[in-house]
Amino acid sequence: MKGRVTNIQRYSLHDGPGIRTTVFFAGCGLRCLWCSNPESLRNEERIMVFTSRCTGCAACLSIDTDQALTLNGKSLTFDPQKDLAKFIAVCPYKVFVEVNEEVEAEDVANTCLRDRLFYEESRGGVTFSGGEPLLQPEFLKEVVQRLKKEGIHIAIETAGNVGFESFEVIDPYVDLYLYDLKFIDPVQHLRYTGQNNEIILSNLERLIQLKKNIVLRMVLLNGINDTDQEWDKRFDWLKHHSSSFQRIELLAYHNFGEGKYVALGEEYPMKDQKKTDEIRIQEIKGKLESMGFEVHVENAF
Amino acid sequence: MRPQLTQNVDLTTIDLNRIDRLRRKMLRHDASLCSERALFYTQSFQETEGQAMILRKAQAFSHTLRHMSIYVEEDSLIFGNQASRNFAAPVFPEYSIDWIEKEIDSFALRQGDAFSVDPKVRSEILSIVEYWKGKTHQDEVNRNLTEEIKLATRQGALHLGGISMSGDGHLVPDFPTVLAHGFRSVLDSIDETSDFYRSVRIALSAVLAFAKRYAGLCKELSDHETQPRRKQELIEMSERADRLFEGPASSFKDAVQAMYLIHVMQMIESNGHSFCFGRFDQTLYPYYKKDMESGTLSKEVALETLIHFFLMTNSLNKLRPNAHTLYSQGYPLYTNLMIGGVDEHGFDATNDLSYLCIEAMNQTALNEPNFSMRYHRDTPDELLETAVKLIATGGGMPSMFNDEVAIKGLVDLGIPLTEARDYVAIGCVETGIPGKYGHRPTGMTYSNWGKMLELMLYNGRDPQSGIRLLKVQEQDSDDFILSNYDELFKAWKNVLNFYTNLAVQADQICDASLSVFDADPFSSSMMLDCLALGKTVKEGGCRYDIISQSNIGPSVVGNSLMVLKKLVIEEKKFTLDQLKVAMEDNWTSLESAMIRRQVLDVEKFGNDRDDVDQIVRDVFDSYLALLPKLDTLRKGKGPRISAYTMSTSNITSYVPNGMEVGATPDGRSAKSPLNEGCSPTQGSDTNGPTAVLLSVAKLPNEKVAAGQLLNMRFSPSSMKSPESLDKFKALLKTSVRLGIYHNQFNVLDSKVLRDAMAHPENYGDLMVRVAGYCAQFVSLMPQAQEAILARSENGVSV
């Protein structure tokens, strides 16, 4: 069976325990403004334009029949609404790159199996992320079935914005959920991610009820979701779940994805956004620890 | 003081200020030239005309040791100097003199590896040039080089490096025996029945006298010393010097001092480099243990002694010709010092000193010694973890050696298992047996495989020089007819065979001359089986005579063959001639750039792709197949085993070798570097370190018995947190299981990260790993890159 994958990244260090391979799936129901993988948001091929590779040879211009491009010396600009795929074949410098190809589940699994000695030695495995891996549940299932037959540890990084039946399709094969929580406050959730958080929270609570292994992940952005209003609600919700999670991971916001927005011809929604400062992070961490949680802070730096 | 890496030792009780002063002195790198040795050798040679070379060398060595300036470094607990001041290089006229005369006024002007030359030193050195003209090792080699070899070097296919104009070095003395007996008893038992034994006698007498000179000097300095602690130290050092080498080393400190002074004297006798310390933690452990048990030593004092020792190894120097500095940048001496590994029974031999050495290297943080570690499946986790923490500080040390592969490689050559288990790295990655290997295991003649590939594609004629030494196919033109892959690979094997034979010829010419000019009675007296056989190492006195050339660029060759196979032969995307046009154009025109793009898209070695990895393996095998029929000069003359093996330990020579090769079918641009060791071509490994290791694991690593060099780059962000370090440890452990021979890890500093921003095309391998994020460093926006850089420059974890 085929599915769309943005990337298969080996030697991932921050996507679960041990050395892992992370498979980034294409397609997501959310539109979080700080998303660092914008190319993964749609389950379709995307063209990314890396203008820094341009040498100004103008080979593309010769087939640019509907003025998709402008070239000033080596300075290339492009209209993302127009067809850019045709330039892939003519550019000698790979300025135009296609992502989110369709791939066979068998091939994905085989690639993931290649690092199995490393998984064994480090107690690692394979993590499915993206995008939202649960939006292609049958494809995902075929991949993880194959991996599970070989005894590989499986982690799913999900925002939970799917029907629970999608979880049920793959849950028999899952060892760990890395669950992303964006907001408790439903209004803020809608505002910053484009969806409300009802099913996200109910899915999470069902997983907890079923006693699944869960790591709760929360990105922290300065002035957006690290406020007292939001965290009062979170502490409130969490105090009922002090033994529900293996641990909580606080992820500092970073802007490493910005380059990809530019390559997609999109506006980066979080320009000048800062991560939560160290003192506030430690404050939140301290409070969570006093509630009985094991807390881990992930700084991108 | 750097943050401590080891536990159970209290650094605060050590005089760290003094260590800091000593370190700064060694860091300053004011390299200069010293004329003393040159003058003494010339004087002595003038008085020994007509005698056998070995006797002349012994007497000159003796004359030098007895009269050269000696000093004691103000802040050091260790005495011994190679030249008249710190970081000065002596001159060794008997090996070569022409280039010194030619370049003496440009040494100070070099961009890298510069040496200042005092006017007095300058005139002294020039005054002796005339005496040596035509009478040096280099002259002898040049007289004997065949026209064919000379043409091959002009093509750039072969290079005669140090072996043609310098001493060979690359020795690890039998330290355990030397420390256990000293030299007096050896001296007393020598029967002067030959030039060799007479020379050894002369040399060892001088060695004992040299030590005594320091005894006198230290005593004198102590008489004038007002600071009580230093006064006491100097008195101790004087007494130590007095008894040094007279009998067994009587303490840990004596043993350390003895090793250092031996090292200095070896580097006065010969201008070879890679005089190494062997299995340092094993050699010194009996002395450490005895002193600890008797209460005369503490861990802290032992560590202090080791730090001083490590720092002092940075005070020696070697002068190289301008051209050679490209091959070995940074005044390297490759003084390898190794810890860890199994004992002769195969059990882990880690001890306290293994840990203390890591800490000493941590506090030293300089280029020397060349710190390396052996490891295996049962290496204690704590030792591995401590080593990983040192690697994470940058500096690339220790480099890691896999016992299982290294030992197997040596056993397959015929070395008994118990001896093979004692192996060490000699120089950079060159594997041998301490006390029993008498020649550089790697880097006799340098073979430029990138050039050989190029020559093949032009039917044997070098496009640059126009020189042709063989025709690959029948036609006279430069055309190469590419019909099928079998024929292509056969052609490669032909070219390789031809130049390998030339290289062996060159090796033998150099070796023949070295056996005269590199006569080393002092060093040889410490090597098995020289005293028993009555020969120097180069005459056949060493037990194991196993050498290899330096083979440069296997990944470039493999990647190129893959392109020819896939795009030209199988898919017929373009012809070889069209490809050659694009290569000659260095991929510049639009057409050429399009061809290059297709070529770059073909799988490259280092990405765990079986097809291209198999081809690189075939390239290795094509060379290995040639080895059984190659002979060394010393076969049948004394060594128990004489053989050629393989090595990819070629230091930085992949850079200048690349300069001689035009663009290659793998997409590499003209004159750019070939690949380092067996590593993927720089930047072409884009699937992460597990893929690199899996690719390298497919190579016949245990047959590359003189060392398979792998260099990997890590961004600081992948090594900083405790969890990341744990994962890195797991990477190392998996490497053992995969049969990876060697690995050196360069954790990049901000300078390199800056280069990555400027030249992203060379840094495809650089990864940033962040939770839930996928990309390469080079696709980051400049501001993000700047931020990472700023963090790393401030020493904050990146």
Side-chain angles (χ1 to χ4, degrees):
Chain A
M1 178 174 184
K2 285 198 193 213
R4 269 191 216 280
V5 159
T6 308
N7 190 22
I8 301 179
Q9 176 174 283
R10 293 160 80 162
Y11 200 68
S12 293
L13 302 174
H14 305 285
D15 294 314
I19 295 173
R20 307 188 76 80
T21 294
T22 306
V23 184
F24 293 91
F25 274 41
C28 184
L30 300 177
R31 290 292 180 268
C32 308
L33 296 184
W34 56 81
C35 181
S36 63
N37 298 331
E39 75 278 27
S40 300
L41 291 177
R42 297 191 222 154
N43 186 346
E44 62 190 47
E45 269 147 11
R46 301 295 309 274
I47 308 296
M48 297 178 84
V49 183
F50 294 101
T51 55
S52 61
R53 296 178 184 172
C54 176
T55 66
C57 77
C60 49
L61 292 186
S62 61
I63 60 162
D64 185 21
T65 44
D66 61 344
Q67 286 98 44
L69 308 172
T70 330
L71 185 59
N72 253 320
K74 291 188 200 175
S75 189
L76 178 71
T77 52
F78 60 96
D79 181 353
Q81 305 299 335
K82 304 236 170 100
D83 168 35
L84 301 172
K86 64 189 187 195
F87 299 116
I88 294 174
V90 303
C91 175
Y93 301 99
K94 293 186 80 165
V95 170
F96 302 89
V97 174
E98 187 173 70
V99 295
N100 300 345
E101 291 178 329
E102 277 200 311
V103 288
E104 280 289 345
E106 177 80 20
D107 294 333
V108 174
N110 284 335
T111 302
C112 291
L113 284 171
R114 299 200 69 122
D115 281 353
R116 62 184 316 167
L117 274 187
F118 296 95
Y119 307 151
E120 264 175 49
E121 198 62 54
S122 68
R123 292 207 279 254
V126 180
T127 299
F128 295 89
S129 178
E132 174 56 67
L134 292 174
L135 283 178
Q136 298 181 63
E138 292 299 333
F139 171 65
L140 177 58
K141 177 178 164 190
E142 200 180 311
V143 179
V144 299
Q145 268 178 331
R146 176 89 170 79
L147 294 176
K148 254 303 165 227
K149 238 199 237 152
E150 306 290 334
I152 307 292
H153 181 280
I154 303 294
I156 309 286
E157 191 181 7
T158 177
N161 185 45
V162 294
F164 195 77
E165 60 282 3
S166 298
F167 279 90
E168 286 169 331
V169 170
I170 50 100
D171 183 68
Y173 312 100
V174 177
D175 296 291
L176 174 68
Y177 289 99
L178 302 164
Y179 209 98
D180 282 318
L181 186 63
K182 322 285 182 179
F183 279 95
I184 288 284
D185 182 325
V187 172
Q188 295 292 72
H189 196 283
L190 180 62
R191 177 175 170 200
Y192 284 103
T193 75
Q195 299 289 326
N196 75 44
N197 59 1
E198 220 178 286
I199 42 167
I200 291 172
L201 285 172
S202 80
N203 284 339
L204 179 54
E205 286 180 0
R206 276 182 84 170
L207 290 177
I208 291 170
Q209 247 170 41
L210 295 167
K211 300 204 190 314
K212 300 297 172 183
N213 290 324
I214 307 169
V215 165
L216 190 64
R217 289 190 143 185
M218 299 185 279
V219 177
L220 292 177
L221 297 103
N222 184 34
I224 294 185
N225 63 0
D226 63 352
T227 58
D228 280 323
Q229 298 97 294
E230 170 59 22
W231 273 91
D232 283 345
K233 297 190 171 79
R234 288 197 201 190
F235 290 133
D236 224 42
W237 186 87
L238 284 167
K239 72 171 181 263
H240 305 293
H241 296 290
S242 58
S243 52
S244 305
F245 307 112
Q246 231 174 54
R247 69 184 195 181
I248 292 182
E249 286 177 0
L250 301 175
L251 309 179
Y253 160 77
H254 63 83
N255 65 345
F256 292 173
E258 187 177 349
K260 294 193 273 183
Y261 282 83
V262 173
L264 290 165
E266 293 172 5
E267 213 31 66
Y268 183 55
M270 291 271 115
K271 255 198 145 43
D272 299 327
Q273 175 59 45
K274 296 204 180 345
K275 74 177 179 83
T276 300
D277 69 71
E278 202 52 41
I279 297 179
R280 177 66 173 146
I281 293 180
Q282 291 303 321
E283 195 189 325
I284 293 173
K285 175 172 190 265
K287 180 76 201 286
L288 289 169
E289 282 170 337
S290 73
M291 292 167 73
F293 293 104
E294 187 190 316
V295 182
H296 185 82
V297 176
E298 284 271 352
N299 271 308
F301 299 114
Chain B
M1 175 188 119
R2 268 126 238 282
Q4 192 172 340
L5 296 181
T6 49
Q7 291 153 354
N8 307 324
V9 59
D10 182 6
L11 260 85
T12 61
T13 64
I14 297 176
D15 185 349
L16 296 168
N17 288 330
R18 167 164 71 174
I19 283 175
D20 193 51
R21 283 196 303 271
L22 191 56
R23 183 175 179 273
R24 275 175 209 283
K25 178 149 202 195
M26 299 302 166
L27 184 60
R28 237 182 44 221
H29 272 187
D30 287 347
S32 63
L33 224 54
C34 175
S35 54
E36 287 193 5
R37 185 201 182 271
L39 290 173
F40 290 130
Y41 265 68
T42 310
Q43 271 169 25
S44 175
F45 266 66
Q46 282 167 337
E47 287 163 19
T48 58
E49 295 284 354
Q51 293 184 34
M53 178 60 79
I54 190 174
L55 279 169
R56 303 180 78 187
K57 291 267 277 181
Q59 288 167 90
F61 179 62
S62 171
H63 186 54
T64 304
L65 289 188
R66 291 174 194 275
H67 296 104
M68 63 179 266
S69 305
I70 60 169
Y71 64 89
V72 176
E73 202 58 69
E74 199 179 305
D75 282 311
S76 180
L77 294 171
I78 311 272
F79 57 81
N81 53 283
Q82 183 199 20
S84 53
R85 72 173 106 121
N86 181 43
F87 213 52
V91 171
F92 298 72
E94 73 271 31
Y95 293 102
S96 49
I97 197 73
D98 289 344
W99 62 273
I100 295 178
E101 183 188 30
K102 238 195 309 209
E103 299 180 17
I104 193 164
D105 290 323
S106 66
F107 292 149
L109 306 172
R110 288 177 182 174
Q111 265 199 347
D113 292 55
F115 287 82
S116 67
V117 184
D118 204 82
K120 180 161 180 279
V121 167
R122 178 183 181 279
S123 63
E124 282 169 349
I125 290 178
L126 288 176
S127 73
I128 57 137
V129 164
E130 230 16 73
Y131 177 79
W132 294 98
K133 279 256 164 107
K135 294 195 230 162
T136 68
H137 165 59
Q138 186 173 40
D139 294 314
E140 177 67 12
V141 168
N142 284 338
R143 273 191 289 274
N144 288 296
L145 285 180
T146 64
E147 194 53 32
E148 226 179 2
I149 293 174
K150 289 184 186 169
L151 289 172
T153 62
R154 276 181 50 204
Q155 284 180 321
L158 300 179
H159 284 101
L160 271 52
I163 54 167
S164 67
M165 43 72 70
S166 152
D168 199 27
H170 289 81
L171 296 174
V172 184
D174 180 9
F175 278 117
T177 303
V178 171
L179 292 176
H181 294 104
F183 291 124
R184 176 65 65 188
S185 55
V186 179
L187 195 54
D188 289 346
S189 65
I190 285 182
D191 260 330
E192 296 196 16
T193 50
S194 70
D195 285 343
F196 171 76
Y197 288 116
R198 270 187 278 276
S199 305
V200 171
R201 178 151 249 282
I202 293 169
L204 291 182
S205 303
V207 161
L208 288 163
F210 192 55
K212 302 274 186 306
R213 290 182 67 201
Y214 284 97
L217 177 60
C218 289
K219 174 80 175 54
E220 203 187 303
L221 290 170
S222 78
D223 289 339
H224 297 116
E225 179 58 53
T226 52
Q227 209 254 32
R229 185 193 68 179
R230 187 58 178 166
K231 189 184 180 76
Q232 185 52 40
E233 280 172 356
L234 286 165
I235 292 173
E236 247 184 66
M237 285 157 75
S238 170
E239 291 166 356
R240 176 165 304 126
D242 209 39
R243 59 176 179 259
L244 210 62
F245 306 131
E246 287 292 341
S250 58
S251 68
F252 174 77
K253 287 188 190 178
D254 276 29
V256 171
Q257 175 63 72
M259 289 181 80
Y260 184 74
L261 200 59
I262 286 171
H263 181 65
V264 167
M265 291 186 290
Q266 286 189 294
M267 292 194 64
I268 291 171
E269 184 178 45
S270 165
N271 73 341
H273 54 257
S274 304
F275 287 102
C276 297
F277 295 112
R279 299 186 75 183
F280 199 64
D281 59 344
Q282 304 304 308
T283 303
L284 287 172
Y285 188 64
Y287 302 95
Y288 170 83
K289 183 162 183 265
K290 178 154 166 267
D291 286 1
M292 288 292 285
E293 282 170 0
S294 70
T296 51
L297 184 69
S298 67
K299 272 195 175 176
E300 287 72 21
V301 173
L303 177 59
E304 182 182 39
T305 309
L306 291 176
I307 296 174
H308 280 244
F309 176 90
F310 277 44
L311 287 171
M312 288 297 286
T313 62
N314 290 277
S315 68
L316 296 100
N317 211 337
K318 171 170 174 154
L319 176 73
R320 295 179 170 89
N322 287 339
H324 284 208
T325 59
L326 291 172
Y327 283 72
S328 20
Q329 300 167 26
Y331 308 101
L333 295 175
Y334 310 104
T335 308
N336 205 302
L337 189 152
M338 201 160 212
I339 61 166
V342 299
D343 63 18
E344 56 175 338
H345 307 293
F347 298 117
D348 178 67
T350 303
N351 60 49
D352 277 356
L353 287 176
S354 319
Y355 293 90
L356 291 180
C357 284
I358 296 181
E359 191 63 58
M361 194 69 231
N362 180 39
Q363 298 301 331
T364 299
L366 295 171
N367 289 337
E368 301 285 342
N370 190 5
F371 187 53
S372 57
M373 175 166 146
R374 294 174 39 164
Y375 77 121
H376 55 99
R377 264 167 234 251
D378 297 321
T379 293
D381 205 66
E382 200 190 333
L383 186 69
L384 199 59
E385 178 144 330
T386 313
V388 164
K389 287 186 185 158
L390 181 59
I391 291 171
T393 64
M397 307 215 209
S399 66
M400 304 296 292
F401 287 74
N402 179 352
D403 271 8
E404 297 177 24
V405 182
I407 292 170
K408 176 158 201 309
L410 296 170
V411 165
D412 285 349
L413 288 170
I415 294 173
L417 179 58
T418 49
E419 291 182 65
R421 283 177 173 146
D422 204 31
Y423 83 90
V424 276
I426 306 174
C428 63
V429 184
E430 314 162 55
T431 324
I433 314 292
K436 299 168 187 168
Y437 258 52
H439 315 276
R440 61 173 73 197
T442 306
M444 295 294 291
T445 302
Y446 286 69
S447 289
N448 186 342
W449 284 10
K451 185 50 129 183
M452 291 178 204
L453 173 77
E454 184 176 54
L455 290 169
M456 176 185 75
L457 294 175
Y458 286 87
N459 198 15
R461 189 191 311 281
D462 175 30
Q464 271 188 43
S465 65
I467 298 172
R468 169 192 268 169
L469 294 174
L470 88 157
K471 269 201 308 190
V472 185
Q473 292 173 340
E474 291 170 336
Q475 63 275 14
D476 279 326
S477 66
D478 295 351
D479 293 318
F480 182 79
I481 300 170
L482 188 55
S483 42
N484 60 59
Y485 186 72
D486 282 339
E487 289 301 315
L488 173 62
F489 202 75
K490 238 199 278 177
W492 159 256
K493 287 197 283 191
N494 270 346
V495 175
L496 183 64
N497 185 40
F498 177 81
Y499 283 98
T500 299
N501 287 335
L502 275 185
V504 171
Q505 233 188 338
D507 288 348
Q508 294 196 343
I509 291 167
C510 292
D511 267 343
S513 180
L514 280 171
S515 70
V516 173
F517 288 89
D518 203 19
D520 53 355
F522 173 53
S523 274
S524 285
S525 75
M526 299 185 286
M527 304 296 298
L528 298 169
D529 300 295
C530 293
L531 286 177
L533 296 176
K535 297 180 177 190
T536 63
V537 295
K538 294 268 172 268
E539 289 170 332
C542 69
R543 186 172 296 186
Y544 301 122
D545 165 29
I546 297 173
I547 58 177
S548 62
Q549 292 160 344
S550 194
N551 307 298
I552 304 153
S555 303
V556 172
V557 176
N559 285 337
S560 295
L561 291 173
M562 177 74 190
V563 165
L564 293 172
K565 179 176 199 236
K566 185 169 183 190
L567 296 184
V568 181
I569 297 175
E570 287 170 2
E571 295 175 12
K572 300 195 186 348
K573 288 273 165 51
F574 38 77
T575 65
L576 175 61
D577 284 334
Q578 286 170 320
L579 177 58
K580 279 163 84 171
V581 166
M583 282 158 54
E584 285 154 17
D585 177 40
N586 201 16
W587 320 111
T588 313
S589 76
L590 195 54
E591 236 162 55
S592 304
M594 274 313 290
I595 289 182
R596 187 187 200 192
R597 185 205 141 144
Q598 293 175 74
V599 149
L600 286 176
D601 275 346
V602 175
E603 306 79 71
K604 299 284 175 274
F605 176 70
N607 293 290
D608 191 25
R609 296 294 307 264
D610 291 338
D611 36 16
V612 63
D613 291 352
Q614 179 62 46
I615 292 182
V616 177
R617 196 210 155 94
D618 290 341
V619 171
F620 272 82
D621 283 340
S622 69
Y623 182 74
L624 290 168
L626 300 175
L627 297 180
K629 66 175 168 79
L630 304 177
D631 287 332
T632 78
L633 204 59
R634 296 152 297 261
K635 185 167 178 175
K637 296 196 186 142
R640 291 187 196 173
I641 301 175
S642 287
Y644 266 87
T645 182
M646 184 178 180
S647 170
T648 50
S649 170
N650 24 64
I651 36 169
T652 51
S653 59
Y654 67 104
V655 175
N657 271 250
M659 287 182 200
E660 287 163 341
V661 184
T664 37
D666 60 341
R668 179 190 140 275
S669 51
K671 302 195 198 299
S672 68
L674 301 175
N675 70 284
E676 182 173 16
C678 78
S679 310
T681 314
Q682 202 159 77
S684 68
D685 46 322
T686 54
N687 263 341
T690 59
V692 172
L693 292 169
L694 287 168
S695 282
V696 175
K698 296 171 206 166
L699 302 178
N701 295 307
E702 77 287 356
K703 300 218 177 88
V704 187
Q708 176 84 296
L709 186 153
L710 175 62
N711 216 309
M712 289 174 67
R713 308 196 285 198
F714 279 76
S715 61
S717 66
S718 56
M719 308 253 314
K720 267 315 176 158
S721 69
E723 280 191 5
S724 293
L725 276 183
D726 259 346
K727 296 172 193 192
F728 184 75
K729 231 168 63 186
L731 194 75
L732 278 180
K733 289 195 198 168
T734 313
S735 295
V736 173
R737 294 171 67 182
L738 289 174
I740 300 295
Y741 196 115
H742 156 272
N743 212 332
Q744 172 158 15
F745 299 96
N746 291 351
V747 178
L748 303 176
D749 59 20
S750 49
K751 182 161 142 240
V752 185
L753 293 174
R754 223 169 251 298
D755 191 51
M757 286 172 64
H759 303 284
E761 64 279 7
N762 294 333
Y763 289 85
D765 59 314
L766 215 46
M767 20 155 243
V768 169
R769 290 293 186 257
V770 177
Y773 170 75
C774 73
Q776 295 171 1
F777 178 82
V778 295
S779 77
L780 293 172
M781 289 288 283
Q783 300 93 300
Q785 294 176 338
E786 283 287 351
I788 293 178
L789 239 124
R791 287 289 190 151
S792 81
E793 269 163 354
N794 293 333
V796 177
S797 54
V798 167

